[in-house]
Amino acid sequence: MKLLAFMMQTGGHIAGWRHPRAANNALCDIDYFRRLGQTAERGLFDGVFLADYVGYHPVKGAEIFAGLETPKLDPLVVLSTIAAVTSNLGLIGTASTSYSHPYDLARRFASLDHLSEGRAGWNIVTSTMENEAHNYGRPAHLEHAERYARADEFVNVARRLWDSWQEGAVLADKASGRYTDPARITAVNHAGEHFRIAGPLTVPRPPQGHPVLVQAGASATGQRFAAVNAEVIFTSHPTIETAKMFRLAMHAQLAEVGRAPASLKVMPAITPIIGDTKQAAQDLQRELDGLIPMHIAVSKLEALLGNIDLSGHDPDGPLPPLPEAALAGQNSTRDRVLELSVRQNLSIRALARQVAAGRTSHTVVGTAEDVAQTLIDWETQGAADGFVISPPFLPAGLEDFVDQVIPILQKSGHFRTAYEGATLRENLGLAVPENYYEAHPETRIQPEVF
Ligand SMILES: Cc1cc2nc3c(=O)[nH]c(=O)nc-3n(C[C@H](O)[C@H](O)[C@H](O)COP(=O)(O)O)c2cc1C
């Protein structure tokens, strides 16, 4: 079983940060991130996973609480810090293809992969929110299909840039005075719809070839993008049945593009709420849910449904039909919210409470044995290759998981007792991609000379 530790700002439960065991005001604190990384490595996690949004985003109509408006440091800078105090842990950072440039991003991930000796991973997102567009000179967010078209081109050119230095390109030969071998470095001369990039990169090919490519969009277009490009898909499923169906659907799509099932790890998010007894875990959940103010829960629901306005509707009545405009945002999340509302026949108020508490993904409430057994069941029944563990609060929730759940998984033979390899690819069981220019030498282009 593969495991990633999700370090989404203050934890997997929206009110987790208010719990007495949660860190106090730590989101800009180097020791906090070092400790999280070291804890994840102590638990032999494959990696840590940092979400990101490139906009300050208070929830409409609510005073500042916690969610998208919490501080967000640049994930690659945070991961560099964690790299320095760990040696096997994978370092996965989210970066947007809508609001960054392939040359810059390819270079930064290649740098992280070198300095961490092969531990970098890129969570490719197309971004979801209007206010992100406003920070990058755009009047509005790109339309869904166009975001993914840009993402396709972005990832393709990033791969070429990582391949632009071939094996043996760096000589650093003091005797001959040659630092590089120009015959092994190629331009990429990319001229596409969105980008024009000459190349080569300034950075030799990363130790992993390419950083591990992760993806989290789950709409039909998002799934197709993952089938073509991703090696890990981070997903979110409330039940084992929907997770199984999703994994099967991904396998079918992989077959369509000629890829083996093992080349894409399907990893649903799980929030473990752990207690010494089931009762204690249920009490903890009640305590956490009691820390969510209701108007904030409703605002969060409105935001997730595409910034709709529910104020004119009876909170004890059902969700009204959604306006067209609400369909442009994070499609897969919206679908999961609607599915939850129908499946449990929830009023707006009840749905808001569930959504705010993060129940559109799976929450396990129980003892460490219960949590371990759920993960084992999901894995053995084909619902997952591994999990993104999103503790309700940090860092204590991650420590509980490492100290209590990991030993049970190990004892039952479902989790490693030592890292298999040094790189994230080796630990996830993913192959190093071939170098395009080594496989197609006829396409090499001499870089411009000035
Ligand atoms: C589990 C999960 C985690 C995500 N994390 C992020 C994130 O950190 N930053 C971001 O901009 N988008 C994030 N997204 C959004 C997606 O990457 C994607 O851009 C968005 O969902 C639109 O694509 P879709 O309609 O295919 O889902 C996440 C989506 C899911 C399902």
Side-chain angles (χ1 to χ4, degrees):
M1 172 186 305
K2 310 298 177 194
L3 291 178
L4 299 173
F6 195 49
M7 296 165 29
M8 171 81 184
Q9 281 94 45
T10 52
H13 190 286
I14 190 174
W17 67 279
R18 299 182 74 192
H19 195 270
R21 292 184 68 216
N24 294 320
N25 185 16
L27 295 179
C28 298
D29 178 355
I30 189 167
D31 288 333
Y32 172 73
F33 289 110
R34 283 180 178 151
R35 179 171 161 191
L36 280 172
Q38 288 170 326
T39 303
E41 185 158 87
R42 181 161 62 78
L44 304 177
F45 270 75
D46 291 83
V48 288
F49 191 114
L50 278 180
D52 194 37
Y53 294 85
V54 284
Y56 173 79
H57 193 256
V59 172
K60 178 172 67 73
E63 72 266 28
I64 302 306
F65 189 66
L68 300 173
E69 80 282 4
T70 51
K72 293 176 282 294
L73 302 188
D74 182 312
L76 273 91
V77 177
V78 173
L79 293 172
S80 305
T81 297
I82 297 175
V85 295
T86 53
S87 47
N88 290 81
L89 185 71
L91 308 159
I92 301 174
T94 295
S96 169
T97 52
S98 299
Y99 305 118
S100 55
H101 190 277
Y103 195 88
D104 179 43
L105 210 63
R107 183 174 184 231
R108 290 165 66 214
F109 274 106
S111 303
L112 179 64
D113 205 49
H114 277 287
L115 293 180
S116 66
E117 299 174 292
R119 296 189 279 141
W122 171 23
N123 179 35
I124 307 163
V125 297
T126 61
S127 296
T128 53
M129 292 178 302
E130 196 79 1
N131 67 320
E132 297 177 273
H134 298 168
N135 293 333
Y136 290 82
R138 291 234 178 90
H141 198 19
L142 293 177
E143 184 268 319
H144 195 261
E146 196 186 342
R147 292 208 299 272
Y148 274 110
R150 180 182 157 108
D152 260 319
E153 186 182 337
F154 195 118
V155 171
N156 284 334
V157 69
R159 289 184 204 272
R160 293 290 155 84
L161 287 166
W162 289 320
D163 290 351
S164 62
W165 293 55
Q166 287 122 61
E167 199 66 39
V170 180
L171 303 169
D173 183 2
K174 288 184 176 176
S176 70
R178 296 174 72 213
Y179 208 99
T180 57
D181 177 357
R184 291 173 188 272
I185 299 174
T186 178
V188 303
N189 284 10
H190 173 82
E193 194 171 323
H194 301 91
F195 309 106
R196 298 179 75 82
I197 300 172
L201 206 57
T202 61
V203 185
R205 195 165 197 247
Q208 296 186 101
H210 304 166
V212 172
L213 299 183
V214 182
Q215 208 263 340
S219 62
T221 328
Q223 286 184 33
R224 173 54 57 152
F225 179 87
V228 173
N229 294 299
E231 300 169 290
V232 172
I233 184 158
F234 173 28
T235 144
S236 187
H237 292 283
T239 65
I240 186 169
E241 285 75 27
T242 58
K244 263 192 220 171
M245 272 159 39
F246 179 79
R247 187 161 170 270
L248 279 177
M250 285 315 305
H251 286 175
Q253 298 208 43
L254 287 172
E256 281 171 26
V257 298
R259 290 179 61 192
S263 66
L264 176 69
K265 309 298 174 199
V266 180
M267 301 183 69
I270 297 272
T271 293
I273 298 188
I274 307 169
D276 290 341
T277 61
K278 221 181 210 38
Q279 185 60 50
Q282 284 164 353
D283 291 346
L284 174 57
Q285 184 182 40
R286 237 188 316 277
E287 185 185 356
L288 287 166
D289 288 0
L291 295 171
I292 311 171
M294 184 42 67
H295 66 286
I296 286 177
V298 172
S299 297
K300 168 119 180 164
L301 176 62
E302 291 174 331
L304 283 183
L305 290 176
N307 281 331
I308 62 165
D309 183 1
L310 291 170
S311 58
H313 299 274
D314 175 9
D316 294 313
L319 206 57
L322 287 194
E324 269 302 304
L327 306 181
Q330 193 163 313
N331 295 357
S332 53
T333 304
R334 186 208 60 221
D335 293 346
R336 283 197 309 279
V337 173
L338 294 177
E339 188 270 336
L340 179 67
S341 133
V342 172
R343 181 162 48 86
Q344 298 192 5
N345 190 22
L346 298 173
S347 65
I348 291 175
R349 196 193 300 271
L351 179 64
R353 196 178 288 117
Q354 297 269 41
V355 163
R359 309 259 161 69
T360 48
S361 57
H362 192 69
T363 298
V364 192
V365 185
T367 61
E369 284 79 12
D370 296 330
V371 173
Q373 195 54 52
T374 300
L375 302 187
I376 292 168
D377 289 345
W378 279 49
E379 195 210 6
T380 52
Q381 292 178 37
D385 298 295
F387 301 93
V388 179
I389 302 299
S390 179
F393 42 74
L394 293 167
L398 185 61
E399 288 160 359
D400 290 348
F401 188 91
V402 165
D403 294 330
Q404 300 175 36
V405 181
I406 293 281
I408 301 170
L409 294 174
Q410 288 172 326
K411 213 174 281 168
S412 62
H414 288 276
F415 194 60
R416 62 170 68 89
T417 53
Y419 282 108
E420 299 85 19
T423 70
L424 177 57
R425 274 185 188 285
E426 286 165 3
N427 287 317
L428 287 173
L430 294 168
V432 172
E434 73 172 11
N435 185 324
Y436 178 82
Y437 294 107
E438 283 172 8
H440 303 92
E442 72 287 355
T443 63
R444 287 184 202 165
I445 309 154
Q446 280 297 312
E448 289 173 86
V449 177
F450 295 97

